[in-house]
């Protein structure tokens, strides 16, 4: 019932911009921290950006000054604005969120999206 769905990926030239979106749906009581990870071929998955439910953000050094993470709690959505894209940004980007789905237990469980491909050409 609960799932995260990413959108906004695609092919863009170096120096261009993309905005990724991730919407959470289902029986959700509350959303805690949310973030974006990416995985390039032959590399391990890495954290790109994260945002708490209070708006505090954290970025990987490689994307600071170029990427901006934000969230819209009314829409259960987290965004990643990517500017000045480089070929090394090419990867599958995954949405991540801590969700509370039970009013009784209020346990925070980690959910992942299926990923969206971002390709930056030189």
């Amino acid at each position: 019932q609960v799932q995260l769905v990413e959108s906004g990926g695609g092919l863009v030239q170096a120096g261009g911009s993309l905005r990724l979106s991730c919407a959470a749906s289902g029986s959700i009581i509350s959303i805690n921290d949310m973030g974006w990870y990416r995985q390039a071929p032959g590399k391990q998955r890495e954290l790109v950006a994260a945002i708490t439910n209070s708006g505090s953000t954290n970025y990987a050094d490689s994307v600071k000054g170029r990427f901006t993470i934000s969230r819209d709690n009314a829409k259960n959505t987290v965004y990643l604005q990517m500017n000045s894209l480089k070929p090394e940004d090419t990867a599958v980007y995954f949405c991540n969120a801590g969700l509370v789905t039970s009013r009784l237990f209020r346990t925070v469980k980690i959910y992942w999206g299926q990923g969206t491909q971002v390709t930056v050409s030189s």
Side-chain angles (χ1 to χ4, degrees):
Q1 293 183 356
V2 177
Q3 63 177 6
L4 304 177
V5 180
E6 301 100 334
S7 63
L11 175 64
V12 65
Q13 294 182 343
S17 299
L18 285 173
R19 189 176 78 155
L20 305 183
S21 299
C22 174
S25 62
S27 301
I28 300 171
I29 304 301
S30 64
I31 304 176
N32 286 36
D33 295 352
M34 306 184 77
W36 289 95
Y37 289 73
R38 67 185 181 187
Q39 186 167 19
K43 297 183 178 180
Q44 295 184 352
R45 184 171 57 185
E46 64 175 347
L47 175 67
V48 177
I51 184 169
T52 68
N53 58 358
S54 63
S56 180
T57 59
N58 185 38
Y59 298 92
D61 289 339
S62 61
V63 306
K64 287 182 178 179
R66 299 189 298 119
F67 291 9
T68 302
I69 188 171
S70 62
R71 62 191 290 168
D72 186 337
N73 291 333
K75 298 181 179 180
N76 290 342
T77 301
V78 61
Y79 305 94
L80 184 67
Q81 178 66 47
M82 304 184 293
N83 298 326
S84 301
L85 283 163
K86 305 174 181 179
E88 49 263 47
D89 294 319
T90 296
V92 177
Y93 284 70
F94 297 90
C95 177
N96 168 275
L99 306 178
V100 177
T101 60
S102 173
R103 295 179 180 178
L104 178 62
F105 297 103
R106 296 189 293 276
T107 300
V108 179
K109 297 182 179 179
I110 305 301
Y111 289 83
W112 292 89
Q114 294 298 311
T116 184
Q117 178 70 48
V118 172
T119 302
V120 184
S121 62
S122 60

PDB file of all heavy atoms in Angstrom, residues 74-97:
ATOM      1  N   ALA A  74       2.450  18.959   2.548  1.00  0.00           N
ATOM      2  CA  ALA A  74       1.052  18.866   2.149  1.00  0.00           C
ATOM      3  C   ALA A  74       0.865  17.883   1.005  1.00  0.00           C
ATOM      4  O   ALA A  74      -0.202  17.284   0.858  1.00  0.00           O
ATOM      5  CB  ALA A  74       0.504  20.235   1.762  1.00  0.00           C
ATOM      6  N   LYS A  75       1.899  17.717   0.180  1.00  0.00           N
ATOM      7  CA  LYS A  75       1.842  16.810  -0.959  1.00  0.00           C
ATOM      8  C   LYS A  75       2.614  15.520  -0.726  1.00  0.00           C
ATOM      9  O   LYS A  75       2.695  14.686  -1.632  1.00  0.00           O
ATOM     10  CB  LYS A  75       2.382  17.502  -2.210  1.00  0.00           C
ATOM     11  CG  LYS A  75       1.590  18.722  -2.647  1.00  0.00           C
ATOM     12  CD  LYS A  75       2.181  19.333  -3.903  1.00  0.00           C
ATOM     13  CE  LYS A  75       1.370  20.532  -4.361  1.00  0.00           C
ATOM     14  NZ  LYS A  75       1.939  21.151  -5.589  1.00  0.00           N
ATOM     15  N   ASN A  76       3.191  15.360   0.466  1.00  0.00           N
ATOM     16  CA  ASN A  76       4.008  14.181   0.783  1.00  0.00           C
ATOM     17  C   ASN A  76       5.093  13.972  -0.275  1.00  0.00           C
ATOM     18  O   ASN A  76       5.349  12.846  -0.710  1.00  0.00           O
ATOM     19  CB  ASN A  76       3.138  12.927   0.899  1.00  0.00           C
ATOM     20  CG  ASN A  76       2.256  12.933   2.124  1.00  0.00           C
ATOM     21  OD1 ASN A  76       2.481  13.686   3.069  1.00  0.00           O
ATOM     22  ND2 ASN A  76       1.236  12.087   2.122  1.00  0.00           N
ATOM     23  N   THR A  77       5.741  15.059  -0.654  1.00  0.00           N
ATOM     24  CA  THR A  77       6.682  15.028  -1.765  1.00  0.00           C
ATOM     25  C   THR A  77       8.009  15.678  -1.390  1.00  0.00           C
ATOM     26  O   THR A  77       8.036  16.698  -0.707  1.00  0.00           O
ATOM     27  CB  THR A  77       6.094  15.737  -2.991  1.00  0.00           C
ATOM     28  OG1 THR A  77       4.880  15.090  -3.378  1.00  0.00           O
ATOM     29  CG2 THR A  77       7.066  15.697  -4.159  1.00  0.00           C
ATOM     30  N   VAL A  78       9.098  15.087  -1.861  1.00  0.00           N
ATOM     31  CA  VAL A  78      10.425  15.659  -1.712  1.00  0.00           C
ATOM     32  C   VAL A  78      10.979  15.923  -3.109  1.00  0.00           C
ATOM     33  O   VAL A  78      10.737  15.147  -4.039  1.00  0.00           O
ATOM     34  CB  VAL A  78      11.364  14.735  -0.906  1.00  0.00           C
ATOM     35  CG1 VAL A  78      11.560  13.394  -1.598  1.00  0.00           C
ATOM     36  CG2 VAL A  78      12.714  15.414  -0.669  1.00  0.00           C
ATOM     37  N   TYR A  79      11.712  17.024  -3.259  1.00  0.00           N
ATOM     38  CA  TYR A  79      12.246  17.429  -4.542  1.00  0.00           C
ATOM     39  C   TYR A  79      13.769  17.522  -4.486  1.00  0.00           C
ATOM     40  O   TYR A  79      14.357  17.746  -3.432  1.00  0.00           O
ATOM     41  CB  TYR A  79      11.704  18.798  -4.962  1.00  0.00           C
ATOM     42  CG  TYR A  79      10.200  18.896  -4.997  1.00  0.00           C
ATOM     43  CD1 TYR A  79       9.491  19.378  -3.898  1.00  0.00           C
ATOM     44  CD2 TYR A  79       9.486  18.517  -6.127  1.00  0.00           C
ATOM     45  CE1 TYR A  79       8.115  19.477  -3.920  1.00  0.00           C
ATOM     46  CE2 TYR A  79       8.109  18.613  -6.161  1.00  0.00           C
ATOM     47  CZ  TYR A  79       7.424  19.096  -5.056  1.00  0.00           C
ATOM     48  OH  TYR A  79       6.053  19.193  -5.094  1.00  0.00           O
ATOM     49  N   LEU A  80      14.384  17.378  -5.636  1.00  0.00           N
ATOM     50  CA  LEU A  80      15.815  17.615  -5.769  1.00  0.00           C
ATOM     51  C   LEU A  80      16.036  18.451  -7.021  1.00  0.00           C
ATOM     52  O   LEU A  80      15.902  17.950  -8.143  1.00  0.00           O
ATOM     53  CB  LEU A  80      16.601  16.307  -5.865  1.00  0.00           C
ATOM     54  CG  LEU A  80      18.122  16.466  -5.908  1.00  0.00           C
ATOM     55  CD1 LEU A  80      18.632  17.012  -4.571  1.00  0.00           C
ATOM     56  CD2 LEU A  80      18.806  15.139  -6.228  1.00  0.00           C
ATOM     57  N   GLN A  81      16.345  19.731  -6.827  1.00  0.00           N
ATOM     58  CA  GLN A  81      16.657  20.618  -7.934  1.00  0.00           C
ATOM     59  C   GLN A  81      18.138  20.481  -8.242  1.00  0.00           C
ATOM     60  O   GLN A  81      18.979  20.731  -7.379  1.00  0.00           O
ATOM     61  CB  GLN A  81      16.324  22.061  -7.585  1.00  0.00           C
ATOM     62  CG  GLN A  81      16.662  23.074  -8.669  1.00  0.00           C
ATOM     63  CD  GLN A  81      15.827  22.899  -9.909  1.00  0.00           C
ATOM     64  OE1 GLN A  81      14.610  22.757  -9.821  1.00  0.00           O
ATOM     65  NE2 GLN A  81      16.471  22.895 -11.070  1.00  0.00           N
ATOM     66  N   MET A  82      18.464  20.098  -9.466  1.00  0.00           N
ATOM     67  CA  MET A  82      19.844  19.859  -9.869  1.00  0.00           C
ATOM     68  C   MET A  82      20.234  20.861 -10.952  1.00  0.00           C
ATOM     69  O   MET A  82      19.665  20.854 -12.046  1.00  0.00           O
ATOM     70  CB  MET A  82      20.024  18.430 -10.370  1.00  0.00           C
ATOM     71  CG  MET A  82      19.590  17.364  -9.370  1.00  0.00           C
ATOM     72  SD  MET A  82      19.922  15.678  -9.943  1.00  0.00           S
ATOM     73  CE  MET A  82      18.782  15.593 -11.328  1.00  0.00           C
ATOM     74  N   ASN A  83      21.195  21.718 -10.641  1.00  0.00           N
ATOM     75  CA  ASN A  83      21.689  22.713 -11.577  1.00  0.00           C
ATOM     76  C   ASN A  83      23.153  22.447 -11.899  1.00  0.00           C
ATOM     77  O   ASN A  83      23.841  21.731 -11.180  1.00  0.00           O
ATOM     78  CB  ASN A  83      21.539  24.121 -10.995  1.00  0.00           C
ATOM     79  CG  ASN A  83      20.109  24.513 -10.715  1.00  0.00           C
ATOM     80  OD1 ASN A  83      19.193  24.119 -11.435  1.00  0.00           O
ATOM     81  ND2 ASN A  83      19.906  25.305  -9.666  1.00  0.00           N
ATOM     82  N   SER A  84      23.624  23.054 -12.987  1.00  0.00           N
ATOM     83  CA  SER A  84      25.022  22.902 -13.409  1.00  0.00           C
ATOM     84  C   SER A  84      25.445  21.440 -13.434  1.00  0.00           C
ATOM     85  O   SER A  84      26.496  21.064 -12.913  1.00  0.00           O
ATOM     86  CB  SER A  84      25.941  23.707 -12.482  1.00  0.00           C
ATOM     87  OG  SER A  84      25.603  25.076 -12.487  1.00  0.00           O
ATOM     88  N   LEU A  85      24.625  20.617 -14.047  1.00  0.00           N
ATOM     89  CA  LEU A  85      24.874  19.181 -14.062  1.00  0.00           C
ATOM     90  C   LEU A  85      26.149  18.830 -14.815  1.00  0.00           C
ATOM     91  O   LEU A  85      26.500  19.465 -15.807  1.00  0.00           O
ATOM     92  CB  LEU A  85      23.684  18.454 -14.675  1.00  0.00           C
ATOM     93  CG  LEU A  85      22.472  18.320 -13.746  1.00  0.00           C
ATOM     94  CD1 LEU A  85      21.225  17.973 -14.541  1.00  0.00           C
ATOM     95  CD2 LEU A  85      22.744  17.254 -12.689  1.00  0.00           C
ATOM     96  N   LYS A  86      26.829  17.812 -14.312  1.00  0.00           N
ATOM     97  CA  LYS A  86      28.071  17.319 -14.878  1.00  0.00           C
ATOM     98  C   LYS A  86      27.904  15.865 -15.299  1.00  0.00           C
ATOM     99  O   LYS A  86      27.058  15.157 -14.762  1.00  0.00           O
ATOM    100  CB  LYS A  86      29.203  17.420 -13.849  1.00  0.00           C
ATOM    101  CG  LYS A  86      29.416  18.805 -13.269  1.00  0.00           C
ATOM    102  CD  LYS A  86      30.467  18.777 -12.160  1.00  0.00           C
ATOM    103  CE  LYS A  86      30.677  20.147 -11.554  1.00  0.00           C
ATOM    104  NZ  LYS A  86      31.683  20.111 -10.455  1.00  0.00           N
ATOM    105  N   PRO A  87      28.719  15.390 -16.244  1.00  0.00           N
ATOM    106  CA  PRO A  87      28.633  13.984 -16.646  1.00  0.00           C
ATOM    107  C   PRO A  87      28.784  13.021 -15.467  1.00  0.00           C
ATOM    108  O   PRO A  87      28.150  11.957 -15.466  1.00  0.00           O
ATOM    109  CB  PRO A  87      29.791  13.831 -17.633  1.00  0.00           C
ATOM    110  CG  PRO A  87      29.925  15.185 -18.241  1.00  0.00           C
ATOM    111  CD  PRO A  87      29.660  16.139 -17.102  1.00  0.00           C
ATOM    112  N   GLU A  88      29.574  13.377 -14.468  1.00  0.00           N
ATOM    113  CA  GLU A  88      29.758  12.513 -13.315  1.00  0.00           C
ATOM    114  C   GLU A  88      28.522  12.434 -12.419  1.00  0.00           C
ATOM    115  O   GLU A  88      28.486  11.636 -11.479  1.00  0.00           O
ATOM    116  CB  GLU A  88      30.973  12.952 -12.483  1.00  0.00           C
ATOM    117  CG  GLU A  88      31.013  14.433 -12.171  1.00  0.00           C
ATOM    118  CD  GLU A  88      31.891  15.209 -13.139  1.00  0.00           C
ATOM    119  OE1 GLU A  88      31.768  14.993 -14.360  1.00  0.00           O
ATOM    120  OE2 GLU A  88      32.705  16.037 -12.672  1.00  0.00           O
ATOM    121  N   ASP A  89      27.506  13.250 -12.694  1.00  0.00           N
ATOM    122  CA  ASP A  89      26.242  13.145 -11.976  1.00  0.00           C
ATOM    123  C   ASP A  89      25.363  12.035 -12.537  1.00  0.00           C
ATOM    124  O   ASP A  89      24.311  11.728 -11.961  1.00  0.00           O
ATOM    125  CB  ASP A  89      25.476  14.470 -12.032  1.00  0.00           C
ATOM    126  CG  ASP A  89      26.176  15.587 -11.277  1.00  0.00           C
ATOM    127  OD1 ASP A  89      26.709  15.332 -10.182  1.00  0.00           O
ATOM    128  OD2 ASP A  89      26.183  16.734 -11.792  1.00  0.00           O
ATOM    129  N   THR A  90      25.756  11.459 -13.648  1.00  0.00           N
ATOM    130  CA  THR A  90      24.986  10.393 -14.270  1.00  0.00           C
ATOM    131  C   THR A  90      24.860   9.203 -13.327  1.00  0.00           C
ATOM    132  O   THR A  90      25.859   8.670 -12.852  1.00  0.00           O
ATOM    133  CB  THR A  90      25.638   9.947 -15.587  1.00  0.00           C
ATOM    134  OG1 THR A  90      25.614  11.027 -16.519  1.00  0.00           O
ATOM    135  CG2 THR A  90      24.895   8.757 -16.181  1.00  0.00           C
ATOM    136  N   ALA A  91      23.628   8.796 -13.056  1.00  0.00           N
ATOM    137  CA  ALA A  91      23.368   7.702 -12.125  1.00  0.00           C
ATOM    138  C   ALA A  91      21.874   7.441 -12.057  1.00  0.00           C
ATOM    139  O   ALA A  91      21.073   8.200 -12.602  1.00  0.00           O
ATOM    140  CB  ALA A  91      23.902   8.038 -10.731  1.00  0.00           C
ATOM    141  N   VAL A  92      21.514   6.360 -11.382  1.00  0.00           N
ATOM    142  CA  VAL A  92      20.125   6.130 -11.015  1.00  0.00           C
ATOM    143  C   VAL A  92      19.911   6.780  -9.653  1.00  0.00           C
ATOM    144  O   VAL A  92      20.646   6.502  -8.709  1.00  0.00           O
ATOM    145  CB  VAL A  92      19.777   4.636 -10.947  1.00  0.00           C
ATOM    146  CG1 VAL A  92      18.339   4.440 -10.487  1.00  0.00           C
ATOM    147  CG2 VAL A  92      19.986   3.984 -12.310  1.00  0.00           C
ATOM    148  N   TYR A  93      18.924   7.641  -9.570  1.00  0.00           N
ATOM    149  CA  TYR A  93      18.640   8.360  -8.339  1.00  0.00           C
ATOM    150  C   TYR A  93      17.455   7.719  -7.622  1.00  0.00           C
ATOM    151  O   TYR A  93      16.401   7.490  -8.218  1.00  0.00           O
ATOM    152  CB  TYR A  93      18.341   9.829  -8.638  1.00  0.00           C
ATOM    153  CG  TYR A  93      19.580  10.630  -8.957  1.00  0.00           C
ATOM    154  CD1 TYR A  93      20.270  10.428 -10.144  1.00  0.00           C
ATOM    155  CD2 TYR A  93      20.075  11.579  -8.057  1.00  0.00           C
ATOM    156  CE1 TYR A  93      21.425  11.142 -10.430  1.00  0.00           C
ATOM    157  CE2 TYR A  93      21.219  12.299  -8.347  1.00  0.00           C
ATOM    158  CZ  TYR A  93      21.893  12.077  -9.532  1.00  0.00           C
ATOM    159  OH  TYR A  93      23.034  12.795  -9.810  1.00  0.00           O
ATOM    160  N   PHE A  94      17.647   7.443  -6.337  1.00  0.00           N
ATOM    161  CA  PHE A  94      16.639   6.780  -5.525  1.00  0.00           C
ATOM    162  C   PHE A  94      16.129   7.706  -4.423  1.00  0.00           C
ATOM    163  O   PHE A  94      16.914   8.371  -3.754  1.00  0.00           O
ATOM    164  CB  PHE A  94      17.202   5.517  -4.863  1.00  0.00           C
ATOM    165  CG  PHE A  94      17.629   4.456  -5.826  1.00  0.00           C
ATOM    166  CD1 PHE A  94      18.921   4.416  -6.312  1.00  0.00           C
ATOM    167  CD2 PHE A  94      16.742   3.476  -6.236  1.00  0.00           C
ATOM    168  CE1 PHE A  94      19.337   3.441  -7.194  1.00  0.00           C
ATOM    169  CE2 PHE A  94      17.136   2.478  -7.118  1.00  0.00           C
ATOM    170  CZ  PHE A  94      18.424   2.461  -7.596  1.00  0.00           C
ATOM    171  N   CYS A  95      14.839   7.697  -4.231  1.00  0.00           N
ATOM    172  CA  CYS A  95      14.215   8.425  -3.138  1.00  0.00           C
ATOM    173  C   CYS A  95      14.184   7.540  -1.894  1.00  0.00           C
ATOM    174  O   CYS A  95      14.006   6.325  -1.986  1.00  0.00           O
ATOM    175  CB  CYS A  95      12.796   8.838  -3.536  1.00  0.00           C
ATOM    176  SG  CYS A  95      11.870   9.687  -2.248  1.00  0.00           S
ATOM    177  N   ASN A  96      14.360   8.151  -0.738  1.00  0.00           N
ATOM    178  CA  ASN A  96      14.364   7.443   0.532  1.00  0.00           C
ATOM    179  C   ASN A  96      13.567   8.246   1.555  1.00  0.00           C
ATOM    180  O   ASN A  96      13.664   9.472   1.600  1.00  0.00           O
ATOM    181  CB  ASN A  96      15.810   7.248   1.012  1.00  0.00           C
ATOM    182  CG  ASN A  96      15.913   6.787   2.449  1.00  0.00           C
ATOM    183  OD1 ASN A  96      15.894   7.594   3.373  1.00  0.00           O
ATOM    184  ND2 ASN A  96      16.034   5.476   2.637  1.00  0.00           N
ATOM    185  N   ALA A  97      12.780   7.551   2.373  1.00  0.00           N
ATOM    186  CA  ALA A  97      11.993   8.247   3.379  1.00  0.00           C
ATOM    187  C   ALA A  97      11.716   7.352   4.576  1.00  0.00           C
ATOM    188  O   ALA A  97      11.528   6.143   4.425  1.00  0.00           O
ATOM    189  CB  ALA A  97      10.675   8.738   2.792  1.00  0.00           C
TER     190      ALA A  97
END
